[in-house]
Amino acid sequence: GTVLAGGSMLAWHAVAWLALLNTVDAAAVGRSTGKVQLGNSIGFAIGPPVTGLTVDAAGYPAGWALVAGVFVLAVLLTLAWRRRDARL
């Protein structure tokens, strides 16, 4: 599970940067990459403690369900973003 979670997080990180560079005007790249990096840093900072607290309180199945739920939320947000961009 650790290998799959780590691999998917690292893959998402690379895909996010590529998507950003393909969709943002050159003049806005600095500000946009800063926002993405801030979001990544916040996620990497709060993810492990929240997952650990969840595992301590409710066990490993709940911890993995939390991780899976966050991944599902990320996919849904990505699909909504793509749909919005397609309309613009």
Side-chain angles (χ1 to χ4, degrees), residues 5-66:
S8 62
M9 285 185 282
L10 293 174
W12 177 89
H13 190 75
V15 170
W17 286 108
L18 289 172
L20 177 82
L21 293 174
N22 284 329
T23 58
V24 174
D25 292 332
V29 167
R31 187 176 336 170
S32 299
T33 56
K35 290 177 183 178
V36 171
Q37 187 59 42
L38 176 64
N40 286 335
S41 298
I42 290 170
F44 287 141
I46 67 171
V50 169
T51 303
L53 290 171
T54 302
V55 168
D56 286 347
Y60 280 99
W64 282 112
L66 174 67

Side-chain angles (χ1 to χ4, degrees), residues 5 8-9 51 60-76:
S8 62
M9 285 185 282
T51 303
Y60 280 99
W64 282 112
L66 174 67
V67 171
V70 170
F71 285 162
V72 168
L73 178 62
V75 168
L76 293 174

